[in-house]
Structure formats: structure tokens, C-alpha cells
Amino acid sequence: APLPFFSDGEMELDLSKFPLWLREGPWRMEAKATLATIAGGLALTAPRARATFVLDPPATPSTWDAVGALYGFGILGVMFASIGPWPLASYTMVSWTITTARYGLTLVGGSRFVASVLRFPSVAQHTVVVAVWWLVLVPLLSATMNGAGRAKFAKFNRRPFLVSVHLLDLPLALADASLHPRPLVFADLWLAVLIAFLYVLFYLAVLDPRGMHFYIILSPRTRWAPLVYGALLAFYAAIFHFWKKKLAQC
């Protein structure tokens, strides 16, 4: 059935238009094996992650931290008021919540450990959101719509809420990392991959069986699943090395 993004029903995404073989049926053995391999890799590299983990330096809250926190919590408030809590199940809003938490923790002098854990996942996830939304999902979703549907979808993407969480989110995360810099280390990459992997498991185990195929490219029912999962891992590694170099210049 069509899934309304807003309570006014202006925009509906009919996820049932994706091919049935991607939405229903048993998982391919290749997908299961790849997920198990990733889990094993995380377990084997956990000692190195513990050894390289470092706390963020003590941070003095700035005006920008207050602006970032207000903006982050404001968007969450708009979401709850106009849509409800269900978008928190999406990778996009998990990413937004991570960044908002970092701004909030800095503002109130909260746990440096939690802020340190969330540092690179915040940057990595928003990089993925912007790249995957505009370069992968928008073309795929548009292909399932007729002309009128694509026009509504374009209007949907111009809404302030969507511009915030699908475009301005990355500058917001980068500003946070730049305001309170420290070098990125292996533990940051490990934590980002761990959080992403846990989200994929949540998506496949909870959302997918309920027909919430937000990220159809993650389908475990295709022989290409190992390639998709492997490409995402490689993308995370590339993001890490790119931002490690760029943020070191701040």
C-alpha cells in the first residue's frame, strides 16, 4: 500500500512497485554469508578498535553549537508533529539524531565518551545519506513513478524538512566535526561500520518483513547482495580516508 510521508497525503510512495522478487521470498545464501563475514570481521578487529579509541578533547560550547542543537531538535520536533515517530526507523533520521546528539552533548557538557563514539558515524552517515539519496534512490524511486508522480516527488524533495535531512545534514555534521577537531583513528571507522551494520540488520530483520522497503538496494534476495554490501563497506572506507585528510586540515 502507498506509504504517506506527510499526514496531508500530498506525497505517497508506493513501495509495492518494486519487483516482487526483491521484496518477498527467501534470502540468498550469498547474502547470509556476506553478513556473517562482516560480523566476523568486526569481531576480529574489535581489539584494534579498543586500542586506538581516543576521547574527544574537552569542548567549550559555542554559539554554533547552540544553533546546531536547536536546529537538530527543531527538525525532530517538526517530524514528530507533522509525520510522527516512524521516520526514526530510517537511516536518514538515525543519522540526523546522531548529529543532533553530538551538538546537544557539547552544549550541555555531556558525556565525552558518547560524543567521541558518535564523531565519525555522524560525518559518515550524512555523507552516505546525501550521496545515496541523490545519486541512487532518487533515480530509482523516480523510475517507479509516472509523470505526475515525479512532479510531486520533485516538490517533495524541495520541502524544507527534506532539504534539511537530505542535503544540509552533511554541512551540519562537518561543522560539528570542524568546530571541535581531533584526528580520526581506526576506532572511528570501526564504530561507523558497526553502527551501519546494526542498522542493516535492523532493516532486514524488522523493516523489510513489514514491507518498508526504503532501501531496496539492500535486498538479501538477489545474487548481487554481496556486491552491494561490499560496495557499501568500500564506500565507508573511502569516506573515512577522505574526511580523515580533509578534517585534519581544519
Side-chain angles (χ1 to χ4, degrees):
L3 178 65
F5 276 88
F6 290 88
S7 57
D8 59 15
E10 269 191 40
M11 176 62 204
E12 292 184 339
L13 175 62
D14 190 353
L15 300 176
S16 66
K17 290 186 177 180
F18 290 124
L20 184 63
W21 59 272
L22 287 175
R23 296 184 285 112
E24 298 181 9
W27 292 16
R28 298 277 301 202
M29 185 59 66
E30 302 98 309
K32 295 179 181 179
T34 303
L35 292 171
T37 300
I38 295 172
L42 284 167
L44 288 173
T45 53
R48 182 183 173 191
R50 286 195 296 269
T52 58
F53 179 79
V54 293
L55 284 175
D56 286 356
T60 301
S62 66
T63 300
W64 179 252
D65 291 309
V67 171
L70 288 173
Y71 185 30
F73 284 111
I75 288 294
L76 290 174
V78 169
M79 180 196 73
F80 275 99
S82 62
I83 313 171
W86 73 261
L88 286 175
S90 70
Y91 180 90
T92 296
M93 294 314 299
V94 168
S95 305
W96 186 269
T97 303
I98 286 174
T99 302
T100 300
R102 271 192 53 87
Y103 273 108
L105 288 168
T106 300
L107 188 63
V108 302
S111 171
R112 286 170 57 203
F113 173 78
V114 174
S116 302
V117 167
L118 300 180
R119 168 177 287 271
F120 183 65
S122 170
V123 173
Q125 293 197 195
H126 287 300
T127 304
V128 172
V129 165
V130 171
V132 173
W133 178 254
W134 294 109
L135 300 180
V136 179
L137 292 178
V138 166
L140 278 177
L141 296 175
S142 296
T144 70
M145 303 172 184
N146 56 26
R150 282 191 290 272
K152 287 184 178 180
F153 191 42
K155 181 180 179 182
F156 165 74
N157 279 306
R158 292 194 296 270
R159 284 175 174 259
F161 178 87
L162 269 296
V163 171
S164 293
V165 302
H166 283 158
L167 189 60
L168 299 182
D169 55 315
L170 180 55
L172 190 71
L174 290 173
D176 166 58
S178 300
L179 279 169
H180 310 290
R182 73 158 170 80
L184 294 178
V185 295
F186 175 79
D188 294 307
L189 173 61
W190 189 90
L191 287 164
V193 172
L194 174 65
I195 291 173
F197 181 64
L198 292 175
Y199 180 80
V200 169
L201 294 182
F202 167 74
Y203 172 79
L204 295 177
V206 178
L207 301 183
D208 179 84
R210 290 165 173 76
M212 302 176 76
H213 305 289
F214 303 139
Y215 311 110
I216 197 66
I217 60 172
L218 294 178
S219 174
R221 302 175 184 88
T222 167
R223 75 178 95 180
W224 300 108
L227 182 61
V228 171
Y229 302 156
L232 289 173
L233 273 178
F235 189 33
Y236 260 77
I239 291 169
F240 173 75
H241 290 292
F242 178 81
W243 288 124
K244 180 180 181 179
K245 180 178 179 181
K246 293 297 181 181
L247 292 173
Q249 300 170 359
C250 297

